[in-house]
Amino acid sequence: QVQLVESGGGLVQAGGSLRLSCAASGRTFGSFAMGWFRQAPGKEREFVSAISWSGGSTYYADSAKGRFTISRDSANDTVYLQMNSLKPEDTAVYYCAAIKGIVSKSPISYDYWGQGTQVTVSS
């Protein structure tokens, strides 16, 4: 089992920044690739970003490229999502997720999920 706890969400004005954190505990964190997803009201959960188990490969949705940066600190079993130049359309609940093996952009492929953290961007 892997337990994931997100933090760092909040209310921010358009153009502002937030850094989300996802703290993992349980099984060996280093063997899991990690992803960030988001879900806005009335919409499906969508891929935002992911990072390989080694941290050597990162992936971004087109909407996140150039604005968001994913990273992982294996020493502290934590994954981060730095979000800059935030837009109102970034408003959603953000979830981190863990997958054993290779990265996937499909939420159904992930094995473990956090409870989510709300990000609200005002215009």
Side-chain angles (χ1 to χ4, degrees), residues 72-94:
R72 68 189 296 162
D73 179 352
S74 295
N76 292 302
D77 292 347
T78 302
V79 175
Y80 303 98
L81 186 67
Q82 177 67 44
M83 304 188 296
N84 299 328
S85 302
L86 283 162
K87 306 174 181 179
E89 50 264 44
D90 294 318
T91 296
V93 177
Y94 283 70

Side-chain angles (χ1 to χ4, degrees), residues 29-30 32-34 51-55 70-74 78-79:
F29 173 70
F32 287 84
M34 301 295 295
I51 188 166
S52 63
W53 66 269
S54 68
I70 191 170
S71 61
R72 68 189 296 162
D73 179 352
S74 295
T78 302
V79 175

Side-chain angles (χ1 to χ4, degrees), residues 21-22 38 66-67 105 110:
S21 299
C22 173
R38 67 187 183 187
R67 299 189 300 128
K105 296 182 179 180
Y110 283 73

Side-chain angles (χ1 to χ4, degrees), residues 36 38 46-50 59-68 84-85 87 89-90 105:
W36 284 97
R38 67 187 183 187
E46 65 175 2
F47 171 78
V48 176
S49 182
Y59 308 83
Y60 298 94
D62 287 344
S63 60
K65 287 179 182 176
R67 299 189 300 128
F68 295 1
N84 299 328
S85 302
K87 306 174 181 179
E89 50 264 44
D90 294 318
K105 296 182 179 180

